[in-house]
Amino acid sequence: MTAKKFITTIKQIPVGQGGFLIGQIEDEHSRIFTYAFDCGSINREHFEQGLKMCSLQKIDILFVSHLDVDHVSGIDALAAQVQIDMVVLPCLDALHLTMIACEAAGNSTLRLSTQSFLTDPFGWLVDRGVKEIIQVQRADDTLNVIPYEPDPEGQPDSIIVPVPEGGDPSRPYTIRSEMVEEAKSVRSGAGTVRTLGEHTSISVEVKGKSIPSWLLVPYVHPFPKEAIASFRRAVGKQFPHTFAGRSLASKAFTKKLIQLLSDKASCEKLKACYSIISRDHNKISLSLYSGPQAHKNNLKISRTNKNFDWPFPKPYQIIHSEDTLIRKNGGAWICTGDANLNQRGTRSAWLKRFGKLLKNVDVFILPHHGSNDSIHDEVIKKLNNSEMIVCAAAGREKHPHNLLLGRLRSYESSLWHVSENPESGFTLKVSFSV
């Protein structure tokens, strides 16, 4: 059988203080699959400038790390330009929903736009053309984490997620998870929503061969149980609820939450309690591993070829031109959103889930725009052979933080700053044959 060439191009789009990544997978003749990771910026003009740099036909899957404005504010603009078939995001359980609401509340009460989203988040997405919504449960704890096994034969039993009624049975990817809830209709069948377990993966196949060729592994890190317990005690009688559950919050819970946050006095009390779990920016956030499936032939990698906006002079790693095809690691890319990879429990679970894949990573997006409090040296050391990327507006005082730059310098790490400057985008191109 004749081998077929497979090409993936991944680019971090320059949108300033925010996040917008586009990955396109093609064979020798056509585009097979397009995905995005996050879609927003604190500056609308910066995002629209980045969006104009994209030539998109359709987004098969949009992964949303979390629902902060700088990661989702561009969804409206993106949906107005291209069709978004599926959105994958962390499960809107009671804890996650409360965190979103508290952060969105201004100095007084909850904004009407946020109330509208929280009242019907899935309807909000379907109204923007999304056909399918997948919620991934946050991890429970480190003990239950299953390391992703690169060898398909070594994977634990998992369920293939069925295509929902009315969906495209010929779509070029397969979703697997250890727990799959039944799909529920949204907007009278205009869309569906389904909840999957924490150990979820997506395999993209080459047309006509049904051979898994590209791997996407989303992972929502666990939240410290001691922080959840402290928050629950602080809320007390004002809002009696267990926040330990990982399933979708009920409509009754959402209604009560909005009532509390719509009253100024109650809003202030709940936000004061929320500071217990938010003071270290330890937010629920989805990370995404994206890379070739194992054992690919003729793997070749190329990268952006300019050192742009270097935060410190040397040492640095040579960036090879796109015309020079080389092999460095394994052609993979990891996005982290605002994951707190400094907190021990979160970090341990994250490293355990991605542990066998880290040697393949060529590009690593530093969490929380290069905050010094969001990453531990253990993670930096494990990914030190990767290109470190920070996504932040130019001139920000703590993004990237000077202390983090010093730590990266001590490990002789390579760093690239993707800002709002159109020339600062970073591209990784990976080709191989199957």
Side-chain angles (χ1 to χ4, degrees):
M1 185 178 292
T2 304
K4 181 178 285 189
K5 191 175 183 181
F6 193 75
I7 302 168
T8 298
T9 304
I10 308 172
K11 184 169 185 177
Q12 191 70 42
I13 308 295
V15 294
Q17 191 73 11
F20 187 35
L21 176 143
I22 297 293
Q24 292 189 308
I25 301 173
E26 304 169 281
D27 61 18
E28 296 166 300
H29 307 292
S30 63
R31 183 197 68 85
I32 297 174
F33 178 83
T34 299
Y35 74 94
F37 184 86
D38 282 344
C39 183
S41 173
I42 60 172
N43 186 302
R44 183 180 180 85
E45 290 183 2
H46 290 169
F47 181 82
E48 291 178 348
Q49 171 188 269
L51 185 58
K52 288 178 181 177
M53 299 171 64
C54 303
S55 177
L56 301 172
Q57 301 172 0
K58 181 178 74 169
I59 299 291
D60 292 281
I61 304 179
L62 166 63
F63 295 90
V64 176
S65 64
H66 63 300
L67 296 170
D68 278 3
V69 64
D70 54 336
H71 294 257
V72 298
S73 62
I75 291 179
D76 266 331
L78 180 64
Q81 181 169 308
V82 299
Q83 169 66 41
I84 305 172
D85 279 356
M86 178 187 290
V87 169
V88 175
L89 74 167
C91 183
L92 296 176
D93 58 46
L95 181 67
H96 193 190
L97 211 60
T98 304
M99 295 175 78
I100 294 166
C102 286
E103 289 196 352
N107 296 326
S108 53
T109 58
L110 197 64
R111 298 178 184 88
L112 289 175
S113 59
T114 306
Q115 287 188 41
S116 174
F117 173 81
L118 293 177
T119 300
D120 187 9
F122 308 128
W124 188 93
L125 289 168
V126 171
D127 286 345
R128 283 147 182 82
V130 177
K131 299 175 183 178
E132 191 174 352
I133 301 160
I134 296 289
Q135 299 187 105
V136 179
Q137 284 187 329
R138 60 183 163 92
D140 188 20
D141 56 44
T142 307
L143 295 177
N144 294 330
V145 175
I146 300 173
Y148 188 87
E149 176 55 62
D151 182 356
E153 295 183 0
Q155 283 293 330
D157 292 339
S158 60
I159 304 167
I160 294 179
V161 179
V163 178
E165 186 175 349
D168 181 7
S170 65
R171 64 190 189 186
Y173 58 90
T174 301
I175 306 175
R176 294 178 173 83
S177 187
E178 87 285 9
M179 188 279 288
V180 180
E181 290 190 353
E182 185 177 351
K184 298 176 182 178
S185 175
V186 180
R187 291 285 191 266
S188 300
T192 61
V193 60
R194 190 193 301 268
T195 301
L196 305 182
E198 64 185 83
H199 299 113
T200 295
S201 64
I202 302 169
S203 295
V204 182
E205 293 105 21
V206 172
K207 285 183 179 179
K209 289 205 171 187
S210 299
I211 300 172
S213 297
W214 196 264
L215 175 66
L216 297 160
V217 182
Y219 182 66
V220 184
H221 63 72
F223 206 81
K225 291 185 176 181
E226 60 274 15
I228 298 174
S230 297
F231 177 59
R232 185 183 179 189
R233 288 193 298 269
V235 173
K237 294 181 180 179
Q238 184 189 18
F239 196 27
H241 191 85
T242 172
F243 290 90
R246 298 182 297 153
S247 298
L248 176 66
S250 67
K251 290 185 177 180
F253 172 85
T254 303
K255 182 178 179 180
K256 177 65 174 176
L257 175 63
I258 291 174
Q259 286 176 347
L260 284 173
L261 289 169
S262 298
D263 175 75
K264 184 174 182 179
S266 297
C267 180
E268 291 302 321
K269 289 180 182 178
L270 190 56
K271 287 178 68 178
C273 296
Y274 171 67
S275 66
I276 294 170
I277 54 176
S278 70
R279 61 178 177 266
D280 293 326
H281 304 289
N282 194 5
K283 303 167 186 174
I284 296 168
S285 193
L286 179 146
S287 295
L288 179 69
Y289 172 92
S290 172
Q293 284 276 8
H295 313 306
K296 295 305 168 194
N297 299 318
N298 301 318
L299 182 66
K300 297 178 181 179
I301 302 166
S302 61
R303 303 170 187 79
T304 296
N305 63 353
K306 292 185 295 184
N307 293 324
F308 179 82
D309 202 8
W310 204 255
F312 45 84
K314 287 187 178 181
Y316 60 86
Q317 195 160 330
I318 296 173
I319 309 299
H320 294 265
S321 72
E322 294 188 3
D323 295 328
T324 305
L325 298 179
I326 61 165
R327 178 164 183 166
K328 184 187 172 188
N329 291 331
W333 187 304
I334 287 190
C335 304
T336 56
D338 279 4
N340 187 340
L341 301 183
N342 195 31
Q343 198 276 336
R344 182 177 179 181
T346 298
R347 179 177 75 255
S348 297
W350 190 94
L351 287 171
K352 187 174 181 181
R353 178 58 175 163
F354 290 126
K356 295 183 178 181
L357 300 171
L358 295 182
K359 67 179 183 298
N360 299 324
V361 176
D362 276 89
V363 180
F364 175 67
I365 305 295
L366 289 162
H368 200 203
H369 314 287
S371 167
N372 187 56
D373 296 331
S374 296
I375 189 165
H376 193 273
D377 282 6
E378 182 182 8
V379 180
I380 295 173
K381 284 188 284 188
K382 286 185 178 294
L383 288 158
N384 198 41
N385 289 329
S386 307
E387 187 73 29
M388 304 283 185
I389 305 289
V390 61
C391 303
R396 298 280 293 194
E397 183 181 353
K398 296 182 179 180
H399 297 148
H401 199 288
N402 283 333
L403 291 177
L404 176 62
L405 298 182
R407 291 161 63 195
L408 294 175
R409 183 190 296 115
S410 70
Y411 288 110
E412 300 188 355
S413 299
S414 174
L415 181 67
W416 187 281
H417 184 178
V418 176
S419 67
E420 65 275 20
N421 189 304
E423 298 181 2
S424 69
F426 188 90
T427 301
L428 182 76
K429 184 174 286 187
V430 182
S431 67
F432 50 86
S433 56
V434 293

